[in-house]
Amino acid sequence: YRFNRFEYRIYNFQKHLREVQPPYCPALCDVGCGGGRILEKIKKLYPDASYYGCDISKKAIETAKILSPKDINYKLIKENGRLPYQNNSFDIITSFNVLEHVEDIPSNIREIGRILKKGGIFHLCIPTEGEFLSMTWFYKILRFGKKFTYKNWGHLQPNLTHKDIIKILESNDFEIK
């Protein structure tokens, strides 16, 4: 059996959405959407919503615009990190394996909070590589070298733990469910 991380992320998103509200979503944004693959999958599950994706990669946005359904709106994130949307724009915001690549997580979380409607849902998936028995922990024990996950995967946050993420979210008025 081969484990499919992409499908597992979608499964967890669906499960989370069912736990916190009915599957109704007028407007969803995927922050760090890459080529749009996750948005395409979510759109098949919840076809009546409006979909938006943003990323810092111009190439990823161009690819998403070419390969994705035309009714998914993609935008480039500004160089200053400001998300290209008005305040209180989205009912649901997703971010799948993005924040570990970001230098200033609290600033990014504030931006997500800015564009999320009051009472909206933020679904976050992020590796917490600072946890005991994580792969990064093993890399350090085995002395694979400094900044191993940065060099191989571009992760800027190798010491991040669950407590760190919860603290950042709660300090920005997110309720953890």
Side-chain angles (χ1 to χ4, degrees):
Y1 176 75
R2 184 169 165 83
F3 179 74
N4 185 322
R5 287 177 286 182
F6 175 77
E7 292 297 330
Y8 182 71
R9 290 180 189 123
I10 297 297
Y11 167 80
N12 276 332
F13 169 72
Q14 282 183 280
K15 182 179 174 205
H16 177 223
L17 198 59
R18 279 193 304 269
E19 290 171 359
V20 296
Q21 77 171 34
Y24 168 70
C25 169
L28 181 143
C29 181
D30 187 23
V31 175
C33 66
R37 188 170 172 216
I38 286 179
L39 276 175
E40 291 174 40
K41 181 73 171 185
I42 294 172
K43 183 172 175 42
K44 287 179 184 175
L45 299 170
Y46 307 106
D48 297 330
S50 298
Y51 289 94
Y52 301 81
C54 59
D55 202 286
I56 62 166
S57 168
K58 186 176 181 180
K59 187 85 159 167
I61 294 298
E62 289 171 357
T63 300
K65 285 180 177 180
I66 292 168
L67 299 178
S68 291
K70 299 303 175 214
D71 57 348
I72 298 178
N73 184 321
Y74 292 101
K75 291 186 177 183
L76 193 62
I77 295 174
K78 299 174 182 178
E79 284 187 33
N80 63 4
R82 186 160 173 87
L83 298 175
Y85 305 106
Q86 298 293 320
N87 295 355
N88 308 306
S89 295
F90 299 102
D91 301 287
I92 297 175
I93 296 177
T94 58
S95 183
F96 295 92
N97 293 73
V98 173
L99 293 179
E100 69 273 17
H101 300 278
V102 171
E103 199 165 313
D104 185 359
I105 292 177
S107 174
N108 282 266
I109 294 294
R110 280 190 296 279
E111 266 300 284
I112 288 167
R114 179 184 67 77
I115 66 170
L116 185 64
K117 290 180 182 177
K118 185 169 176 61
I121 295 169
F122 174 43
H123 180 85
L124 173 65
C125 176
I126 182 172
T128 49
E129 297 173 303
E131 292 292 331
F132 178 67
L133 297 179
S134 69
M135 290 303 293
T136 302
W137 182 84
F138 281 114
Y139 295 150
K140 286 178 183 175
I141 297 299
L142 297 172
R143 296 190 175 126
F144 274 6
K146 293 183 178 183
K147 298 185 178 185
F148 183 79
T149 58
Y150 172 74
K151 291 176 186 172
N152 290 283
W153 301 293
H155 294 185
L156 299 174
Q157 307 292 341
N159 298 314
L160 199 61
T161 65
H162 293 105
K163 286 182 181 179
D164 296 333
I165 287 295
I166 290 169
K167 184 178 177 182
I168 293 168
L169 289 167
E170 287 179 341
S171 70
N172 284 282
D173 299 323
F174 283 85
E175 178 185 341
I176 309 299
K177 296 197 178 194

